[in-house]
Amino acid sequence: MTIKPQDVAAFKVGALLSRDLQIPAYQRPYSWRAATAVQLLDDVLHAESSVRVPGSPASCGNDVDADNVCNAPVQPYVLGTVILHRSEDRFDIVDGQQRTLTLRMLHMLLEEPSFDRTISTRLEQSAESAIGKAWSALHRRADDLTDRAAIAHFLRHHCEVVVVVTDDIDEAFRVFDSQNHRGKSLLPHDLLKAHHLREMRQESDSLRAAVIEKWEEIDAGELDRLFSTYLYRIRRWSNGQDGTRFGLADIDIFKGISSDRRPSPWELYHLVAQSAIPLLEVGRRDLERRSLDHARFQLDAPIRAGRHFFEMTMFMYQELQDLYRTAFPETSSAEHREGTSTATTGPALPGAEGRTGFNGFSASPLVPDHRGIHPRFRYVTDLYLASLLFTVNKFGPDAAAGVDRMLFRWAYSLRVKHQRVLARSVENHGKDERSPFSVLRNARSILEAHMIEGVDLEEPTGRVAEYRTTLRHYLAEASA
């Protein structure tokens, strides 16, 4: 369904807030910082002051009332766009939730005679939440205002929001996507979230709410890093393609197979396989859940659109944490002791107990958010973890434990070969036909890993020995 011209209109803030607006269960919690909320109030105050004539009425002609307020036609102050989905007798906010909630709080604070004490009490009791902090900051700022009535009148009658209303939830999300493609604030995974929520429209509100709650528990920067540094690169490099930058134009690679259209035979194969794999948990007790999830979420295969995308993201995020703690166990333990780790707890790969790390020495140049990473080893450690993730995904944790030294040599050999490791060097190394991604993509057995090319860091001669000493020195310092 296409949005018609009559579905797009400028609404006075008062008219917008008088509607039965609902926040659907799939929306994220209020996340504006207090300073951002106060800035919205300050913007309204600045716009409102422009209709007051502080001295002579000359600039307003004869349209000045007894209170020195300009009665000439006031140019509306536009506060952005809100996208609404009409659902029976209510309107669900698809986009514009943060701004709308802030306007609601402003309206409450400025309309003191009709102040809703029940809501204000609940906000005050949520002082540590983002919305509680915004409410407190707005409350303090509003207390300094001398003419709330005039400001409230301006907000209700002279501030406008462009409202897009549609009966079609798919159309609402398409507008949301196009709106934010033109902007620069959203990251690719934000648009993927909107796309896959749209694919979940047949699911219950409670399930969508649970999915969003899990998604929001992960920092946005970590989600961006998961997709851009690992999942996108693995998908591209395993096909010998460039994975330099994961941008908005590249999100189709993770949009998956939609249930809205007739699948091709190739797509049908993957849909059936992914649907059948969970059944093996009942019939094959020798297969653990982790192995089944790796089978269901193959990194070089398409994913089912909707709920399965969110499940895949959560699983791969956890896998990355587990692989890091296994590859660099000494560092992980130190971080947990000091309370500085951002990683979540989870099982380690088999064989990690009693080890000092892969290759016989403690390695600690990375946590997934790059905290404390030495610039010299950042790129190569990303390569190492990406190759581990791909190997475990293809052949399981036991196989990865058997080739970890080979993967380490392959990744860190780049640091040995080049005085400076640049992004282009990483790209060429990752998509090379002798990289783990190319070799293992079509391999039938982990034994084919011997084709992966790397420099043997154990060889104590020449430049290799120099960098091995440097690696040992830095890793020992980072683990101290």
Side-chain angles (χ1 to χ4, degrees):
M1 180 185 296
T2 303
I3 292 179
K4 301 174 182 177
Q6 59 265 32
D7 295 327
V8 182
F11 274 62
K12 308 295 185 186
V13 167
L16 174 67
L17 297 182
S18 67
R19 289 198 164 199
D20 184 11
L21 302 177
Q22 303 288 328
I23 299 174
Y26 58 77
Q27 284 284 21
R28 67 175 62 183
Y30 186 88
S31 60
W32 269 16
R33 297 173 57 189
T36 306
V38 172
Q39 183 61 56
L40 179 61
L41 173 56
D42 287 342
D43 290 344
V44 171
L45 293 176
H46 178 74
E48 189 271 342
S49 68
S50 68
V51 304
R52 291 174 177 261
V53 187
S56 168
S59 62
C60 198
N62 296 320
D63 294 319
V64 179
D65 63 16
D67 295 322
N68 205 35
V69 175
C70 183
N71 286 325
V74 177
Q75 184 73 19
Y77 183 58
V78 180
L79 293 170
T81 303
V82 173
I83 302 174
L84 303 178
H85 171 230
R86 186 188 291 108
S87 178
E88 297 179 351
D89 295 329
R90 71 182 191 188
F91 294 88
D92 287 343
I93 302 176
V94 175
D95 189 35
Q97 171 200 348
Q98 312 291 325
R99 180 175 287 102
T100 304
L101 283 174
T102 306
L103 290 172
R104 174 75 76 185
M105 289 189 285
L106 284 178
H107 189 263
M108 289 171 57
L109 288 168
L110 296 173
E111 290 288 327
E112 192 167 6
S114 58
F115 199 85
D116 191 327
R117 296 296 176 186
T118 302
I119 296 178
S120 69
T121 300
R122 291 176 61 185
L123 289 170
E124 289 163 4
Q125 291 173 346
S126 305
E128 295 305 313
S129 66
I131 195 168
K133 291 176 181 178
W135 170 261
S136 298
L138 289 171
H139 208 313
R140 289 192 298 270
R141 184 72 178 89
D143 285 343
D144 296 332
L145 303 178
T146 57
D147 194 352
R148 291 191 184 189
I151 299 167
H153 178 85
F154 179 79
L155 179 66
R156 286 196 311 272
H157 301 291
H158 298 295
C159 291
E160 293 184 350
V161 175
V162 177
V163 178
V164 180
V165 181
T166 176
D167 297 325
D168 187 342
I169 187 61
D170 285 351
E171 189 66 31
F173 273 111
R174 276 192 286 272
V175 175
F176 171 81
D177 287 355
S178 63
Q179 281 271 114
N180 289 292
H181 265 298
R182 290 193 293 271
K184 296 183 179 180
S185 59
L186 290 184
L187 293 168
H189 68 262
D190 291 312
L191 296 184
L192 284 171
K193 171 191 169 185
H195 169 79
H196 287 284
L197 282 174
R198 182 167 70 247
E199 292 288 336
M200 290 181 65
R201 58 191 172 278
Q202 301 299 329
E203 306 279 8
S204 66
D205 285 348
S206 59
L207 179 58
R208 285 183 291 177
V211 163
I212 292 303
E213 183 178 0
K214 284 290 186 182
W215 179 275
E216 295 298 335
E217 287 176 357
I218 305 178
D219 178 77
E222 291 188 45
L223 279 172
D224 180 49
R225 185 163 159 71
L226 173 67
F227 280 96
S228 62
T229 303
Y230 298 103
L231 304 186
Y232 177 69
R233 282 175 161 182
I234 290 172
R235 182 70 68 90
R236 298 283 292 181
W237 287 344
S238 64
N239 284 287
Q241 298 172 320
D242 194 278
T244 304
R245 181 180 179 275
F246 179 47
L248 298 178
D250 304 307
I251 65 174
D252 284 357
I253 198 172
F254 294 114
K255 282 191 172 181
I257 305 172
S258 175
S259 59
D260 284 345
R261 55 183 173 80
R262 184 176 182 178
S264 66
W266 177 78
E267 292 174 326
L268 184 60
Y269 168 81
H270 287 285
L271 287 175
V272 172
Q274 291 171 25
S275 299
I277 285 171
L279 301 177
L280 293 176
E281 194 169 9
V282 177
R284 290 286 302 274
R285 297 181 181 274
D286 58 316
L287 295 175
E288 61 176 10
R289 178 61 180 271
R290 183 182 182 193
S291 295
L292 291 174
D293 282 342
H294 272 300
R296 191 158 61 113
F297 305 129
Q298 285 288 287
L299 288 171
D300 56 356
I303 188 69
R304 290 181 64 185
R307 174 168 54 93
H308 297 270
F309 166 80
F310 294 103
E311 292 174 349
M312 181 276 294
T313 301
M314 300 300 107
F315 176 71
M316 291 302 169
Y317 177 74
Q318 182 64 56
E319 278 295 290
L320 193 59
Q321 315 308 308
D322 293 344
L323 286 173
Y324 167 68
R325 284 193 298 275
T326 302
F328 311 107
E330 204 168 283
T331 304
S332 302
S333 299
E335 287 173 346
H336 282 293
R337 285 196 301 271
E338 296 169 9
T340 59
S341 175
T342 61
T344 56
T345 59
L349 289 177
E353 299 81 1
R355 300 175 57 176
T356 57
F358 292 151
N359 280 280
F361 55 84
S362 176
S364 57
L366 178 138
V367 288
D369 64 353
H370 280 179
R371 183 185 315 211
I373 187 172
H374 192 295
R376 174 171 288 178
F377 305 111
R378 191 181 82 179
Y379 288 155
V380 292
T381 307
D382 285 343
L383 280 170
Y384 179 42
L385 280 181
S387 66
L388 276 173
L389 183 61
F390 188 56
T391 303
V392 172
N393 184 247
K394 291 286 289 186
F395 295 106
D398 290 335
V403 300
D404 51 22
R405 295 168 69 91
M406 187 179 298
L407 297 174
F408 187 93
R409 287 197 300 272
W410 169 80
Y412 281 81
S413 68
L414 193 63
R415 178 67 269 174
V416 174
K417 293 176 182 177
H418 300 283
Q419 187 67 29
R420 295 180 61 198
V421 177
L422 304 177
R424 177 47 53 188
S425 303
V426 172
E427 280 300 314
N428 292 335
H429 202 54
K431 67 181 181 180
D432 185 82
E433 63 181 9
R434 292 159 297 183
S435 77
F437 310 102
S438 296
V439 170
L440 298 180
R441 181 179 188 273
N442 297 313
R444 296 185 179 182
S445 166
I446 191 62
L447 296 177
E448 297 182 44
H450 72 275
M451 297 174 61
I452 299 170
E453 184 178 85
V455 174
D456 189 352
L457 295 181
E458 300 293 340
E459 184 182 340
T461 59
R463 199 171 183 192
V464 173
E466 172 191 345
Y467 274 94
R468 182 175 181 235
T469 301
T470 303
L471 279 170
R472 281 183 174 276
H473 176 73
Y474 169 71
L475 298 174
E477 280 188 352
S479 302

